[in-house]
Every structure is written in structure tokens, then in C-alpha cells.
Amino acid sequence: MPERVHERGPEQGGDADAGSGRSGLLGAFGLAEVYNPSMVPTLRPGDQLVVQYGAVVRPGDVVVLRHPFRQDLLIVKRAVRRRDGGWWVQGDNPFVENDSREFGVVPDELVIARAWVRVRPPRGIQRSVAGVLSWVVSAVRPVRAERSLSRRLRAR
């Protein structure tokens, strides 16, 4: 099943189509919600991502892109390496292959945003100051580029 990302862009604060009016928003930030497990363990269904539109993408970055075969569908993947004409992208979950292994290189124009911060929704936290602080420490994390990505992928 393809990864779905529910996106809220900065211009609406609500549901948005990734292609509507984004050309003037380079560098703007928005939110995306992850629905499927292709990026487990890095991202889980229900995680919120703070994304930057038009950000420079480097190998190892987590990106939001349009699915090459269904461009109305947004997906989240890791940009593994640059290839002629675009990016080779893969999910972190080795059991889900809805990525470049299935659809090949993703053209640059389909990569719309780079993820900066992951926020896990509060589930079952205690409503005390200590409980909220504990959630903040564990739930709000930068989404970092995987520096040892090439070694990890070769080891599979």
C-alpha cells in the first residue's frame, strides 16, 4: 500500500494539495502527517512532520514527494542518492518496497519538501508537568540525514 501523507501548507492551515500555488513558497514551512509504515522505525503512522518546501535535498534526507505513478498521492521517503534526472528514494522499513525499487528514479520536480522535525502525537501521557516534559523530550526530534545510509543499505 502506498505511503499517504496528509499535508497542511502554510497558506491554508488546513488540507492542501501539494501542487496548489507552491511555486512562490520556496523556503516556506508546513505540516505533513504520516499514515503508513514505510519509514518505520524513523517515522511511524500518526507522526507529524515539519517540512520545508523547496529546501536543498542531500543524500540521507527525509523528503515528501509526489508518487511518480499517482501524482495526487504524497509519500515520504529517504533520498538515498542522486541519479541522472532525479533521486533514488527508499523507505527505512525493509519490508515495504513502495519506493524507487518499484518505480525507479523520482524526477526533481516531484520532490516538494524536506522534513526537519518529527512530532509524535501524545498518547497516554500523564497530564502532569513531568508527563508533558517527558513527552516533549521523546516526541519532538529533528529528522536527521542518515549518515551511514550506504553501509546500512548494503548490509541488507
Side-chain angles (χ1 to χ4, degrees):
M1 175 181 210
E3 181 85 38
R4 284 188 313 139
V5 177
H6 176 77
E7 179 185 34
R8 289 177 293 219
E11 69 280 356
Q12 291 108 339
D15 296 349
D17 175 66
S20 60
R22 295 271 187 247
S23 59
L25 292 174
L26 295 179
F29 288 86
L31 290 176
E33 182 177 349
V34 178
Y35 282 90
N36 294 70
S38 74
M39 288 296 292
V40 170
T42 306
L43 303 172
R44 295 187 290 203
D47 285 353
Q48 298 283 324
L49 298 174
V50 175
V51 298
Q52 183 180 16
Y53 300 101
V56 174
V57 176
R58 294 180 182 94
D61 287 344
V62 174
V63 294
V64 175
L65 55 129
R66 291 180 178 279
H67 192 286
F69 300 150
R70 288 191 49 206
Q71 294 185 15
D72 61 326
L73 180 66
L74 297 176
I75 59 177
V76 61
K77 301 293 175 195
R78 190 172 300 279
V80 176
R81 64 186 158 274
R82 188 90 175 99
R83 293 261 179 106
D84 288 339
W87 285 95
W88 186 267
V89 297
Q90 283 186 244
D92 288 355
N93 185 341
F95 301 109
V96 179
E97 291 189 6
N98 182 32
D99 53 28
S100 287
R101 294 172 287 181
E102 179 182 308
F103 48 71
V105 174
V106 177
D108 290 320
E109 61 270 12
L110 296 183
V111 179
I112 62 170
R114 177 180 168 203
W116 285 95
V117 175
R118 180 263 300 161
V119 180
R120 293 236 157 97
R123 291 190 183 117
I125 65 167
Q126 295 179 354
R127 305 251 177 212
S128 65
V129 173
V132 171
L133 288 175
S134 174
W135 169 76
V136 168
V137 169
S138 67
V140 179
R141 300 277 170 139
V143 179
R144 299 178 193 242
E146 186 71 41
R147 299 291 179 217
S148 62
L149 186 65
S150 61
R151 273 193 304 254
R152 187 171 60 83
L153 290 175
R154 278 195 292 263
R156 287 187 187 166

